[in-house]
Amino acid sequence: KAVVSTQSTGDVLCYNSLTRTTYRGDEDKGRGYNCQRWDTDMPHPHTYHPSEDREWRFGIGHHNKCRNPSPKTNSGPWCYTTSLFVRWEPCEDIPDCEETALPMFVF
């Protein structure tokens, strides 16, 4: 399956609607809140902490960028929020790769 990538960095700027895990861009907001860092449990404890495997498979690292470490869910990239009252939000400004006109590269 082809995914959109920048030539200089290899970052994937959209998500593959089949795997839902390819996005590696810089979006760091959900619908209305900033994203919580993946390497912290504040304000929301979770089990998706960075590891070599999660970095390779899902892009989970020492940052607060939108990702999808749970590909079995029917969603694109999302993040835990920094709001005490909203645990997580989808990241809505990230396009599905099949709906973009960006250059395509096959991995």
Side-chain angles (χ1 to χ4, degrees), residues 17-22 48 57-58 68-76 78:
S17 60
L18 296 177
T19 64
R20 300 182 180 91
T21 62
T22 54
Y48 296 117
R57 291 174 58 206
F58 308 119
N68 185 1
S70 54
K72 292 181 182 178
T73 63
N74 191 20
S75 70
W78 59 273

Side-chain angles (χ1 to χ4, degrees), residues 72-91:
K72 292 181 182 178
T73 63
N74 191 20
S75 70
W78 59 273
C79 66
Y80 293 107
T81 76
T82 54
S83 168
L84 294 173
F85 306 105
V86 178
R87 182 167 170 80
W88 70 276
E89 290 183 323
C91 300

Side-chain angles (χ1 to χ4, degrees), residues 23-30 35 38 58-60 63-68 77-79 89-92 94:
Y23 177 71
R24 299 294 187 272
D26 289 331
E27 183 63 45
D28 61 0
K29 283 191 175 210
C35 293
W38 292 102
F58 308 119
I60 298 299
H63 58 72
N64 69 332
K65 310 300 183 198
C66 297
R67 300 291 186 258
N68 185 1
W78 59 273
C79 66
E89 290 183 323
C91 300
E92 296 181 330
I94 301 168

Side-chain angles (χ1 to χ4, degrees), residues 23-68:
Y23 177 71
R24 299 294 187 272
D26 289 331
E27 183 63 45
D28 61 0
K29 283 191 175 210
R31 287 185 179 146
Y33 296 99
N34 290 328
C35 293
Q36 171 182 311
R37 289 179 59 94
W38 292 102
D39 58 356
T40 184
D41 284 324
M42 293 298 295
H44 304 289
H46 63 90
T47 58
Y48 296 117
H49 297 101
S51 69
E52 188 174 319
D53 179 60
R54 286 192 182 120
E55 175 67 29
W56 181 79
R57 291 174 58 206
F58 308 119
I60 298 299
H62 300 279
H63 58 72
N64 69 332
K65 310 300 183 198
C66 297
R67 300 291 186 258
N68 185 1

